Amino acid sequence: MTSGQPAHDEELFGPVAAIISAQSEVEAIRIVNGTRFGLGGGVLTADLARGERIAAEELDAGLAFVNQYVRSDARLPFGGVKDSGYGRELSEFGIYEFCNIKTVLVQQL
């Protein structure tokens, strides 16, 4: 798969797997982060420490999973970055997206 194909350039939803080969970890991360989207991503690996490092520090996505598929869970904040959205829904963090917080400052005379 190459740039210019819909499965490469567009944000896909549903039971679809876009497979793009890479020669190294660095190249794979560059390809993944090179998209204008960033809802969710995952790392499949037997090396859990490596997977956690990549998911937490390298993937430019709102959700990152290691040895699991991207999914929603009401206990966890859900949302993307870049053109995949702003803000979060679900969990304690998500409830604040639906609130208008008011500031009142009073000074004694």
Side-chain angles (χ1 to χ4, degrees):
M1 178 176 315
T2 61
S3 180
Q5 296 177 317
H8 183 278
D9 297 339
E10 297 176 13
E11 190 169 33
L12 300 176
F13 294 93
V16 177
I19 299 172
I20 303 167
S21 63
Q23 299 300 312
S24 68
E25 176 183 309
V26 171
E27 181 184 9
I29 293 167
R30 181 190 56 74
I31 291 169
V32 168
N33 290 339
T35 178
R36 66 180 212 261
F37 302 107
L39 180 57
V43 180
L44 300 176
T45 181
D47 184 341
L48 293 181
R50 179 183 185 192
E52 185 176 357
R53 175 188 55 78
I54 293 169
E57 300 172 15
E58 303 288 338
L59 295 185
D60 193 9
L63 308 158
F65 295 82
V66 179
N67 295 338
Q68 300 184 50
Y69 58 91
V70 175
R71 65 184 184 283
S72 173
D73 183 317
R75 298 168 296 177
L76 303 172
F78 183 88
V81 297
K82 302 191 269 186
D83 285 347
S84 289
Y86 301 94
R88 296 292 175 266
E89 59 187 48
L90 306 175
S91 85
E92 178 184 344
F93 295 100
I95 195 66
Y96 293 112
E97 298 294 331
F98 299 99
C99 298
N100 290 320
I101 298 172
K102 184 176 188 176
T103 300
V104 176
L105 182 63
V106 179
Q107 182 173 354
Q108 188 175 13
L109 298 177

